[in-house]
Amino acid sequence: MVMDITFSSAPSSGADAPEAPAFAPAQLREAAHRVRETAFIVREPSGGRIGVSFDARHLDAASGYEHLATLPPMYPEWLGDRAFCETHGLRFPYVGGAMANGITSPEMVIRLARAGMLGFLGTAGLSLERMADYIDRTAAALNPHNLPFGANLIHSPQEPALEMATVELFLSRGVRRVSASAFMRLTPAVVRYAVRGLFRDAHGRVQRSNFLFAKISRPEVAEPFLKPAPQKLLDQLVAEQKITAEEAQLARDLPVASDITVESDSGGHTDRRPLGPLFSVIARLRDDLQRQFGFATPVRLGAAGGLGTPQAVAAAFGLGAAFVLTGSINQASIEANQSPAVKKMLASARFADVTMCPAGDMFEMGVEVQVLKRGNFFAARARRLFEVYSTYPSIEAIEPEVREKLEREIFQQPMEAVWQKTRDFFQTRDPQEIERAERDPRHRLALVCRWYLGLSSRWAIEGVEGRQLDYQVWMGPAQGAFNDWARGSFLEPLEARHVDQMALNLMEGAARQTRASQLRAFGAAIPPDAFDHRPLPLA
């Protein structure tokens, strides 16, 4: 399938006269953007300049030009791995990433799906009831048209029961694609999802019912997902009747993940790795394990993190990415479940307006997330809370002047009142946390600190008045780069940032980038501005 849009080309000099080849910089720039046409690389006899023609008559020796090469049409749909699109029923190798606490909304996922792309619901951080609502609303819109979607499973080391309950919900609702994020090891829940429903087709090949996308940023984390599930975990799941003995047997012939998202410098959980070296290392690891195990279908690698411009997207495909995944930039889209106040902050953010701070879900482990630092004090206050947790053994041990400042500036209430709210929350969520906190004063301090970290993102999403300086806004440098690229175009205003228009322009620009690089590789003097695709409304 191809995009149903056309671009004007230079008119011919007459009904029978061929369009002259492009040699001048302005002509070559236009030629580089005519990606949907067959391009002929030619050399003029005098001077030896290399140019581009779109008229096959220039291939005739009588035309006076030497034919050097032919480039077939290039479509954005073809930039990635065709097997990825065919497997998941997509038109474009483009994925909208899951942004937690419901930021990636059903509306966003539905709009991406209708444009031939894949979206993952931001189910991490939601209650099971809200997860079910998100899934049901999305399925009602997409299932009748056989359009794919997915949901997010985030690693919950403090709450393994919640992790398994989330998988139970996904399986019961028929969610066939899951993005597993922030996992540092395989868990029973993630393996159960991947293995459940395995079967042999009529040709005896093992096929998946569920597709697991593992989002990783380290080779040691990627490796378990690139191998078959450990026998010990499979045996445990069979004993608990979470999978069948047949599914456990079939799991030996497949890697845990069907797809891997190689995540570089992104918003939220990130190791801030540069994409080039990281992708190369993971690709080599994938290839080594593929040779070792001989899987019928190799794991496909996608790229994420920092993808806010056509140049970045084209570079990702140039590395060999089967698909690209965007996150930060979609948070400012019309369809994102994010408050208008935060969207304005995001739309004015610059490339360097990001910083790292403690993550609420992995607070005690010292894991960090990348957030917007411009316009709020959240990052500084989150770091202060981690410093307090690292320094004091309990709430009671905090010096009065330090505690008073925390209660006034961060909690805006006594810490004991915060503990009571936290206790009420875990009374229904996980009573074991209360028991542990009452035995371990330091754990009680951690839960109180996590109260602020957990609510700060919700304050941002809901636009809570009086808490603007405490908004936790996950963001990577891609947002600032996107804003710079969109400046002066129709995509600059927030009211124009539909998630599919942003995606189509990134893919269109990446195709133009790739074609310009091809023409340059054949010796055409492609001007620098040929690599600049300005956003335009696309159908």
Side-chain angles (χ1 to χ4, degrees):
M1 300 175 68
V2 298
M3 295 178 68
D4 52 352
I5 58 175
T6 57
F7 294 85
S8 62
S9 59
S12 63
S13 57
D16 297 321
E19 177 188 347
F23 291 102
Q27 296 172 328
L28 288 170
R29 182 186 188 283
E30 182 187 356
H33 291 182
R34 292 167 63 177
V35 296
R36 290 168 178 77
E37 301 174 60
T38 299
F40 307 107
I41 314 298
V42 297
R43 178 158 44 206
E44 64 178 359
S46 59
R49 289 189 305 170
I50 296 176
V52 182
S53 169
F54 296 96
D55 196 313
R57 284 174 286 183
H58 288 134
L59 305 187
D60 192 325
S63 69
Y65 296 102
E66 179 185 358
H67 175 221
L68 300 180
T70 298
L71 296 179
M74 169 176 289
Y75 298 95
E77 293 91 328
W78 299 349
L79 288 173
D81 184 346
R82 291 306 301 166
F84 174 78
C85 291
E86 291 166 0
T87 298
H88 298 293
L90 306 174
R91 177 177 171 183
F92 296 95
Y94 187 99
V95 178
M99 292 179 285
N101 286 345
I103 295 174
T104 303
S105 64
E107 292 74 22
M108 185 187 297
V109 171
I110 291 167
R111 193 161 183 119
L112 285 170
R114 288 173 175 167
M117 305 172 190
L118 179 62
F120 286 100
L121 293 166
T123 42
L126 299 183
S127 66
L128 292 174
E129 292 75 20
R130 282 199 68 197
M131 287 186 200
D133 174 64
Y134 262 45
I135 293 167
D136 292 345
R137 286 162 53 193
T138 307
L142 299 182
N143 285 356
H145 305 285
N146 198 29
L147 293 175
F149 72 94
N152 181 218
L153 174 68
I154 195 166
H155 184 35
S156 304
Q158 309 297 332
E159 300 177 280
L162 175 62
E163 196 175 293
M164 184 62 80
T166 302
V167 166
E168 296 278 3
L169 174 66
F170 291 164
L171 293 174
S172 69
R173 288 299 201 276
V175 177
R176 297 304 180 199
R177 290 162 186 85
V178 159
S179 174
S181 56
F183 280 81
M184 294 174 289
R185 58 182 177 82
L186 292 180
T187 66
V190 76
V191 171
R192 185 189 182 198
Y193 178 82
V195 171
R196 184 69 179 272
L198 292 179
F199 66 97
R200 287 195 185 275
D201 63 17
H203 304 284
R205 293 174 297 214
V206 181
Q207 300 289 355
R208 300 178 187 270
S209 294
N210 303 321
F211 296 90
L212 185 75
F213 288 63
K215 185 183 285 186
I216 58 89
S217 55
R218 298 184 184 185
E220 64 269 24
V221 176
E223 186 170 350
F225 288 99
L226 291 165
K227 294 179 176 180
Q231 191 61 47
K232 182 178 179 180
L233 262 180
L234 295 173
D235 291 342
Q236 174 187 336
L237 290 168
V238 171
E240 295 172 354
Q241 298 185 336
K242 301 292 188 183
I243 63 173
T244 67
E246 181 182 7
E247 288 167 341
Q249 178 68 30
L250 296 176
R252 299 172 184 172
D253 294 335
L254 292 174
V256 173
S258 60
D259 303 85
I260 293 273
T261 303
V262 180
E263 183 180 30
S264 58
D265 193 3
S266 64
H269 290 282
T270 180
D271 283 327
R272 306 187 79 179
R273 308 293 190 205
L275 181 59
L278 176 63
F279 193 93
S280 300
V281 169
I282 302 300
R284 175 63 62 86
L285 174 63
R286 185 271 313 271
D287 295 343
D288 288 345
L289 293 173
Q290 174 62 28
R291 282 189 289 269
Q292 177 182 342
F293 290 99
F295 300 124
T297 302
V299 177
R300 294 171 291 266
L301 302 184
L307 305 185
T309 63
Q311 291 94 328
V313 173
F317 284 123
L319 288 169
F323 62 93
V324 292
L325 182 147
T326 58
S328 294
I329 62 169
N330 301 326
Q331 196 172 182
S333 71
I334 293 170
E335 293 75 26
N337 180 33
Q338 185 59 278
S339 68
V342 169
K343 289 183 181 181
K344 288 181 181 178
M345 294 167 66
L346 289 164
S348 63
R350 298 168 300 195
F351 172 77
D353 289 340
V354 292
T355 189
M356 300 295 292
C357 67
D361 56 345
M362 299 183 184
F363 180 75
E364 296 95 318
M365 301 166 66
V367 174
E368 294 189 319
V369 292
Q370 188 160 218
V371 299
L372 174 68
K373 68 177 179 181
R374 185 183 184 191
N376 67 72
F377 295 152
F378 168 74
R381 289 174 173 175
R383 285 193 289 267
R384 176 60 177 145
L385 288 178
F386 186 75
E387 179 184 320
V388 167
Y389 168 73
S390 302
T391 303
Y392 300 99
S394 67
I395 295 173
E396 293 73 19
I398 302 173
E399 287 99 337
E401 62 273 17
V402 173
R403 180 168 172 172
E404 187 276 330
K405 190 173 183 179
L406 293 174
E407 293 176 337
R408 173 168 42 86
E409 294 183 355
I410 299 180
F411 296 112
Q412 296 186 8
Q413 58 191 295
M415 293 180 72
E416 286 299 332
V418 174
W419 164 241
Q420 189 57 51
K421 293 177 180 179
T422 304
R423 193 180 189 284
D424 293 343
F425 170 79
F426 280 109
Q427 194 69 53
T428 55
R429 175 80 169 240
D430 187 356
Q432 291 182 350
E433 285 291 317
I434 300 173
E435 297 172 10
R436 181 183 169 192
E438 290 176 343
R439 293 194 310 268
D440 181 358
R442 192 159 185 264
H443 185 60
R444 184 160 66 102
L445 172 59
L447 292 181
V448 168
C449 293
R450 284 168 54 187
W451 174 90
Y452 172 81
L453 296 172
L455 284 179
S456 56
S457 61
R458 300 183 188 277
W459 293 332
I461 292 169
E462 296 170 8
V464 173
E465 291 292 334
R467 279 293 189 175
Q468 289 90 335
L469 295 179
D470 297 294
Y471 287 173
Q472 179 178 185
V473 182
W474 301 301
M475 191 190 97
Q479 180 67 68
F482 179 91
N483 291 338
D484 185 70
W485 171 59
R487 189 172 298 115
S489 77
F490 89 103
L491 278 179
E492 182 175 9
L494 279 170
E495 57 269 20
R497 294 190 182 186
H498 285 291
V499 68
D500 55 342
Q501 277 296 316
M502 297 160 65
L504 288 171
N505 270 279
L506 288 174
M507 293 296 291
E508 179 70 22
R512 292 182 173 191
Q513 290 271 327
T514 304
R515 175 48 62 90
S517 296
Q518 289 176 333
L519 296 175
R520 175 180 280 180
F522 279 101
I526 303 300
D529 63 354
F531 292 86
D532 180 29
H533 163 71
R534 304 304 299 159
L536 67 160
L538 299 175

